[in-house]
Amino acid sequence: MPVSLDSWASLCKQAFRGDEHLSEFIVFIDRGKTGPDSDGNYTWICKDTRYRDHFISMGIQPGIGSTFTLGTADLIALNSTKNQMRTEHHNETQVILQAHMAKLLKDVSTIDLSHKDRLTLIEEFMNAHQGEDTAQSLLSGLNKFFRYQLQNKSKIVEWRIYQDSFMQYGQQYMEDYIRLFKGILGLQLAYEDDNTSIAMEGPGQPIPHFIWRMNPTITNNQIKDIIRSIGMKGTGQQGFNTSLIPRAQHQTGVIHWICKMITHCLSSIFRF
């Protein structure tokens, strides 16, 4: 009796959607076998009756001592089907996350904050995500992005970053970081790929990305405070670019210097 790849595909699909027992069964298929023997066959010994039921549902009949045996060709077919189901699940998940992210980007607005309140919210964010390996990449990049602005004081800087950087760890992670970027830090979304046309994974498919632009109202001193609050460090400046847009901070600095000089001259005149 041939192996039922449809039944196996259904088990894989449920496992990838979060069924813990079936996830363990998929791992058992991968790691619980012995072989190949001289005939190229692989054998599984099932102590869990539920595993026996899954094998039988796939058209694989038990042998002596609750053993199940498959040939190399059948095992290759199972692996191929499993990989196909994983890819389909990933693509379905990406479509759902992309739709949710599009709604977030539309709904989340920059909050009108004092600098002190902004630093407080950044501190709360950092405490909530402290110790997470998932936080390292985006927070390190964010730190370098603000440092890059300090190195290019006269023009507003931009950051080209893959959209998947926000989606790869799930919906809650994505929500938290969109709110940090746009709501708390006031970064502006200057560009986003239309990911509805390139949502499916595959060879040669372009990877959708964002271009985030620095908050134009933020000052150099405020940036230094934010860098200290984020605290993540790293090397490299991938995806950073200087735009043609002048910074209000730079212009204000020149005007402030002129006003300061005029005040100084007037005070010197009236002193006599």
Side-chain angles (χ1 to χ4, degrees):
M1 183 176 180
V3 174
S4 173
L5 293 179
D6 287 342
S7 295
W8 171 242
S10 177
L11 294 175
C12 290
K13 186 177 294 186
Q14 293 175 67
F16 295 140
R17 287 179 176 173
D19 188 306
E20 186 174 340
H21 164 68
L22 288 177
S23 295
E24 293 171 354
F25 178 64
I26 301 301
V27 173
F28 178 70
I29 292 291
D30 285 338
R31 302 178 184 176
K33 60 185 179 296
T34 59
D37 60 18
S38 58
D39 295 324
N41 294 324
Y42 294 85
T43 301
W44 292 262
I45 300 175
C46 288
K47 297 180 180 179
D48 190 323
T49 56
R50 294 176 299 174
Y51 286 8
R52 286 170 50 87
D53 293 341
H54 296 324
F55 273 109
I56 293 171
S57 74
M58 294 160 56
I60 307 169
Q61 298 305 313
I64 299 173
S66 297
T67 61
F68 293 84
T69 302
L70 280 179
T72 300
D74 285 331
L75 185 59
I76 291 173
L78 291 184
N79 285 331
S80 177
T81 300
K82 178 188 66 178
N83 291 337
Q84 180 184 347
M85 291 301 100
R86 180 184 286 114
T87 298
E88 288 183 8
H89 172 72
H90 176 75
N91 288 336
E92 290 171 0
T93 302
Q94 289 295 98
V95 169
I96 293 170
L97 286 174
Q98 285 166 347
H100 186 62
M101 184 165 62
K103 186 176 186 304
L104 273 175
L105 291 170
K106 181 179 179 182
D107 293 346
V108 174
S109 300
T110 298
I111 308 170
D112 186 12
L113 295 167
S114 68
H115 182 53
K116 181 180 178 181
D117 289 341
R118 178 183 285 117
L119 292 179
T120 298
L121 290 177
I122 293 172
E123 183 179 350
E124 290 177 359
F125 180 94
M126 296 300 298
N127 288 336
H129 293 272
Q130 190 173 17
E132 294 179 356
D133 291 337
T134 55
Q136 299 295 319
S137 179
L138 270 180
L139 290 177
S140 176
L142 197 58
N143 185 300
K144 288 180 284 184
F145 182 46
F146 279 101
R147 290 179 184 276
Y148 188 71
Q149 181 65 83
L150 290 181
Q151 296 166 9
N152 299 272
K153 293 183 172 65
S154 63
K155 303 290 184 181
I156 291 177
V157 298
E158 297 174 338
W159 183 9
R160 187 182 190 274
I161 181 173
Y162 292 133
Q163 294 183 17
D164 189 56
S165 299
F166 291 87
M167 297 187 296
Q168 59 185 328
Y169 299 114
Q171 183 170 310
Q172 188 59 55
Y173 176 94
M174 176 178 65
E175 290 178 1
D176 289 348
Y177 276 86
I178 291 293
R179 290 193 171 97
L180 173 66
F181 273 55
K182 192 175 181 185
I184 298 173
L185 295 174
L187 303 186
Q188 299 177 340
L189 187 59
Y191 173 84
E192 63 176 308
D193 277 321
D194 178 11
N195 54 36
T196 58
S197 62
I198 53 179
M200 296 301 171
E201 229 182 35
Q205 289 283 3
I207 303 176
H209 70 276
F210 292 130
I211 294 179
W212 289 96
R213 183 174 292 155
M214 181 59 68
N215 181 340
T217 66
I218 208 161
T219 68
N220 291 332
N221 287 334
Q222 289 172 346
I223 287 177
K224 292 175 184 176
D225 289 339
I226 290 171
I227 290 172
R228 283 191 290 270
S229 295
I230 295 174
M232 294 285 180
K233 295 184 179 179
T235 58
Q237 295 179 345
Q238 286 188 332
F240 302 153
N241 183 55
T242 304
S243 74
L244 299 177
I245 304 172
R247 287 185 71 207
Q249 160 76 6
H250 181 72
Q251 293 176 332
T252 302
V254 174
I255 295 172
H256 177 72
W257 179 82
I258 293 173
C259 292
K260 186 176 180 180
M261 291 301 296
I262 292 173
T263 302
H264 175 72
C265 292
L266 289 174
S267 63
S268 299
I269 291 171
F270 286 108
R271 189 179 300 145
F272 293 100

